[in-house]
Amino acid sequence: MSLKQKPRRKKNKTYDNVVYLKQVAQRKKKRNTLLIICGAIILLGGSKMISQYGEIRTQQKEYERLQAQLEETKLENEELTLELQYMMTEDYILSVAREQLGLLKENEIRFVEDSTGN
């Protein structure tokens, strides 16, 4: 026998079966660990997707609310623009001068009703 060669051991079926069973157990343990890790990743990913879906729905509702508010503001702006245009007309200026300030046109006479009942 040379120095480099290992001595051969005698084949023992029981020992070989034990070694084989240990190897099978190690493979099952690795497989189970891998399945647990994959399951955890899937669960985490699923929960993240669900939370993001909820966030997207919230953002969508906020967007729709803001769109409706924008439309209302545009209508209000249009109404105010029309009102401003009317306020710049001579008819409006004359009506405010007569009704609120009590001004008269040239050669007009104001009749005041006596409220005391005499």
Side-chain angles (χ1 to χ4, degrees):
M1 193 173 357
S2 73
L3 293 173
K4 292 184 179 183
Q5 290 181 347
K6 292 184 180 178
R8 293 184 181 216
R9 65 178 168 88
K10 211 175 188 183
K11 283 198 172 187
N12 184 351
K13 263 190 168 181
T14 308
Y15 176 78
D16 289 342
N17 284 340
V18 169
V19 169
Y20 174 75
L21 291 175
K22 283 184 179 180
Q23 289 173 345
V24 169
Q26 284 177 345
R27 281 189 228 131
K28 283 184 178 180
K29 188 175 181 180
K30 286 181 183 178
R31 187 187 69 207
N32 289 342
T33 304
L34 183 61
L35 287 173
I36 290 171
I37 291 172
C38 288
I41 290 172
I42 289 170
L43 285 174
L44 289 172
S47 67
K48 186 68 175 173
M49 281 177 46
I50 290 170
S51 69
Q52 285 185 348
Y53 177 75
E55 182 66 26
I56 288 171
R57 290 291 301 152
T58 303
Q59 293 292 327
Q60 181 67 29
K61 287 179 182 177
E62 179 70 10
Y63 174 78
E64 290 169 0
R65 184 187 68 77
L66 290 172
Q67 282 294 99
Q69 184 179 358
L70 177 63
E71 288 302 316
E72 287 177 21
T73 304
K74 283 181 179 180
L75 287 173
E76 183 180 353
N77 187 28
E78 190 175 317
E79 290 172 1
L80 289 172
T81 300
L82 291 173
E83 185 177 342
L84 182 61
Q85 287 174 352
Y86 171 66
M87 290 176 147
M88 296 172 79
T89 64
E90 191 173 326
D91 289 341
Y92 176 78
I93 295 170
L94 287 174
S95 69
V96 169
R98 287 177 177 270
E99 293 169 11
Q100 294 179 6
L101 302 175
L103 298 178
L104 302 173
K105 286 186 178 180
E106 205 174 300
N107 298 326
E108 282 188 331
I109 301 172
R110 178 186 315 237
F111 293 96
V112 179
E113 204 175 295
D114 187 15
S115 62
T116 59
N118 291 334

